[in-house]
Amino acid sequence: MKISKGDREAVDERLGEVKQSEFAWNKVKEAIPTVPLGTNSILKGAWRELAALNPPPDAVVMTVRALQLILCLTPTSTSWEDGIEMMKSPVFLPQMTMLPLGQIKSKQAKTIRDILRDPRMDLKKIRETSVAAGELARIVFGVGEHLDLRG
């Protein structure tokens, strides 16, 4: 069977998209904490560090809001306190190791992209503010890359 040049180019283009998507997903996986499930105690210092940011910088609040969207949570409130409670939850780490990227709706993806385009979302500055927030922001940025490739 002979494949036309146009079909071959279409296949090559799609293969390139798949490779880019795999690369972005690998970046997300690298950013996810490699903490055994159910061992929230390791991150208690991180939660304390985040909770101590009073008031937290806008970029840190936006990072937490993006995480709520990534985890497909629809909180009744998007307050800072709700974000801290979300991260203290015993299911937070398991959720972080199984990000439901395929379940993110287009409206959520748009909001995540809008958050990441905000000039206040500077990964270097977020890391300087808080090590924990920096790691969470790294995950958010990785997911953002995945969503951009997904379209």
Side-chain angles (χ1 to χ4, degrees):
M1 179 166 135
K2 192 170 184 172
I3 299 174
S4 73
K5 182 179 179 184
D7 287 342
R8 191 175 19 245
E9 288 172 353
V11 168
D12 288 344
E13 183 179 328
R14 180 65 184 131
L15 184 59
E17 291 171 5
V18 168
K19 286 181 179 178
Q20 284 182 327
S21 183
E22 286 175 4
F23 175 76
W25 176 239
N26 286 335
K27 286 181 75 173
V28 171
K29 287 193 299 189
E30 288 171 13
I32 294 171
T34 54
V35 178
L37 299 181
T39 56
N40 246 1
S41 61
I42 295 172
L43 297 178
K44 279 186 181 170
W47 308 147
R48 276 193 226 103
E49 179 193 48
L50 287 170
L53 297 173
N54 197 6
D58 290 342
V60 176
V61 174
M62 291 164 45
T63 297
V64 171
R65 176 66 185 130
L67 275 175
Q68 290 172 318
L69 292 165
I70 290 165
L71 295 172
C72 300
L73 301 175
T74 52
T76 54
S77 169
T78 57
S79 72
W80 174 246
E81 292 76 20
D82 287 345
I84 292 295
E85 287 306 310
M86 170 191 73
M87 292 182 284
K88 286 181 178 178
S89 165
V91 298
F92 179 68
L93 283 178
Q95 285 178 322
M96 292 301 292
T97 60
M98 299 177 286
L99 294 174
L101 298 182
Q103 296 174 21
I104 297 174
K105 306 285 186 235
S106 59
K107 184 176 178 181
Q108 291 166 295
K110 181 190 178 318
T111 304
I112 293 165
R113 287 186 189 104
D114 289 346
I115 289 170
L116 290 172
R117 287 186 188 113
D118 190 297
R120 295 171 289 181
M121 287 297 290
D122 180 322
L123 186 56
K124 184 178 178 187
K125 288 181 182 175
I126 295 170
R127 283 182 171 156
E128 289 170 358
T129 300
S130 159
V131 173
E135 288 306 302
L136 294 173
R138 194 166 67 109
I139 293 168
V140 170
F141 276 95
V143 170
E145 285 184 36
H146 175 78
L147 293 174
D148 285 344
L149 291 171
R150 190 178 86 177

